[in-house]
Amino acid sequence: MKGQIRNSHIIYIALWVLISAIIFIPVCILLTGCSDEDEEDHGKVVKVEAHWWGDHYAGQVIKSGNVYVECNVTYEDGNTESVDDWTMKKPVTVPTEKSVSFYVYYGGMKDKVTVPKDKFYTSGKPPITGRKLTKEEENAMMADTLKEEYPGHGHQYYLDLLMNEGLTLEEAEEALSGSS
């Protein structure tokens, strides 16, 4: 039986690997300080400042995590950071040629954001008139806006942004095919 591996040897090797992993991984984490939480604890959020920075169009739905809302938080230790996991109580639809306001919530604090009426997207398109745009036109305009704001990215990147805006995969694909 020289040169042959018995089933019992395989079991012993597997147990040795398992026991080594159970001991080695926690020791490594303790020695190196590795953990799932790399972020420092800055304490309680004391201030939230949010503002709208992008173009928009009538009928656009704004919801939590929208890419055109910049949200900065200040912690009790004085540190500030930009966050994108802020929330809203409910989505807001941009009205025709009127501003709209909503609250952004993060860490128990809130800030009011106003989408101004004078930043409607019109680049390369006829101005928004009393004619209601079709859903496909609105989606294509949104795709054009995202391509202008984030140039040089691939198809999947724009799909993800459009779906973040509330479009289904099919609507996002159609919007990209109908955009310039």
Side-chain angles (χ1 to χ4, degrees):
M1 294 266 201
K2 192 174 184 181
Q4 292 182 345
I5 298 177
R6 294 185 192 175
N7 286 341
S8 61
H9 287 124
I10 294 173
I11 292 172
Y12 290 132
I13 292 170
L15 284 172
W16 180 82
V17 169
L18 180 64
I19 291 171
S20 297
I22 290 172
I23 293 170
F24 179 73
I25 292 172
V27 169
C28 177
I29 290 173
L30 288 173
L31 293 177
T32 62
C34 300
S35 73
D36 290 339
E37 295 182 26
D38 291 333
E39 297 179 17
E40 294 180 39
D41 181 20
H42 297 292
K44 183 179 172 185
V45 174
V46 294
K47 185 177 184 182
V48 171
E49 292 179 303
H51 69 276
W52 182 266
W53 62 269
D55 294 326
H56 58 279
Y57 56 92
Q60 179 178 3
V61 177
I62 302 169
K63 62 181 187 172
S64 295
N66 185 287
V67 295
Y68 293 122
V69 175
E70 183 175 338
C71 184
N72 297 302
V73 297
T74 304
Y75 297 95
E76 62 187 354
D77 68 357
N79 282 308
T80 62
E81 70 177 333
S82 179
V83 297
D84 57 5
D85 55 341
W86 52 269
T87 60
M88 298 170 59
K89 286 196 176 184
K90 63 181 182 176
V92 173
T93 302
V94 176
T96 304
E97 299 185 20
K98 290 170 67 176
S99 62
V100 64
S101 296
F102 56 91
Y103 284 97
V104 165
Y105 296 88
Y106 186 86
M109 303 294 288
K110 70 179 180 178
D111 191 29
K112 186 176 185 178
V113 174
T114 299
V115 179
K117 67 179 180 178
D118 61 345
K119 294 201 87 179
F120 277 90
Y121 176 80
T122 56
S123 175
K125 303 284 184 190
I128 295 175
T129 64
R131 178 181 73 85
K132 180 153 174 63
L133 297 175
T134 66
K135 186 70 173 165
E136 291 78 19
E137 288 173 320
E138 289 177 4
N139 292 346
M141 286 177 69
M142 183 179 355
D144 284 339
T145 301
L146 292 173
K147 285 180 178 179
E148 287 179 10
E149 293 290 329
Y150 305 101
H153 293 280
H155 186 76
Q156 185 62 48
Y157 180 82
Y158 298 117
L159 277 179
D160 292 342
L161 288 178
L162 289 167
M163 290 178 8
N164 185 43
E165 292 290 331
L167 273 63
T168 66
L169 177 61
E170 294 78 25
E171 290 171 333
E173 287 282 5
E174 185 178 315
L176 287 172
S177 68
S179 70
S180 53

